[in-house]
Amino acid sequence: MSDFEVRHGYSLRDLHRFAATAVAADRSLAGNAHLRYDIAWSAIALALAEATVPPHPQTLVRAGWQAIYADVRQGWQLYGVARDTDDRSVGGAPRFAIYWRNTATEPASETLIEAMAVSQILGTLPDIYREAVTALAAHDTLQAAADSLGISYVAMNGRIRTARKRFTAQWYAPETPPPFRGTDRRVGSYSKPLATHCSKDHEFTPENTRMDRGRTGRRVVRRCRACERLRAAARRGRGAVPADGDTQMRAA
């Protein structure tokens, strides 16, 4: 190991010694020792380079094991492990589950595959249709989307219809897509405001709402995730407490 001075009188040999000490002080034991050593060494070298005065050796060691622990916590977040509870199961973090699962029983892989497919198919649409779809997603109504693009309602409706046909053709390929009938009612009607709560008084928040075309495929309806969890719990023959804290429901 070289005695070449790095900064403030510390050599490469010292950096090696501090990194090895940081690895020994780490109690997470996450990943292999070589990876933890590299993380600690890089953090110590950075702390030493940024120091304006010679730092204490213990300060550099602390920078090393804190970097290891920060990397562990980042790995927890990547795999959806809750950091503020004792539950260390993969996918146990509440918001991780909300993002990756449409229902309590749907595998996360299905949601991921569909999200990737949507992105890939949208990328094949011409710009004029992709912009129309993006505007409708951002503004919720055809009229508001048309205003944002500076076009008429009729033109906007035509672009969305064409985009829908091209999208569904690729979504169902090589099979023939089913015929599209009905109206997208995501925003209700123009004559009355959109309901903000379901029939059980659960709020239609983004996390608590699932769009579903149903069995007939004729119209898009909003589904309340809290109600779906209650019904699923009842079918399993045990109670469940929804996210909004409603009274526990017992199966008959």
Side-chain angles (χ1 to χ4, degrees), residues 140-153:
D140 285 332
T141 67
L142 287 172
Q143 186 61 61
D147 295 340
S148 70
L149 295 178
I151 60 178
S152 66
Y153 176 90

Side-chain angles (χ1 to χ4, degrees), residues 100-111:
W100 289 111
R101 293 179 176 88
N102 284 335
T103 65
T105 58
E106 183 175 352
S109 59
E110 294 183 7
T111 303

Side-chain angles (χ1 to χ4, degrees), residues 109-160:
S109 59
E110 294 183 7
T111 303
L112 176 61
I113 293 173
E114 289 190 357
M116 294 175 61
V118 169
S119 177
Q120 291 172 355
I121 295 177
L122 285 177
T124 65
L125 298 180
D127 292 342
I128 187 174
Y129 302 123
R130 189 166 59 251
E131 290 176 354
V133 172
T134 303
L136 179 59
H139 297 281
D140 285 332
T141 67
L142 287 172
Q143 186 61 61
D147 295 340
S148 70
L149 295 178
I151 60 178
S152 66
Y153 176 90
V154 174
M156 182 66 189
N157 189 39
R159 293 182 186 183
I160 291 298

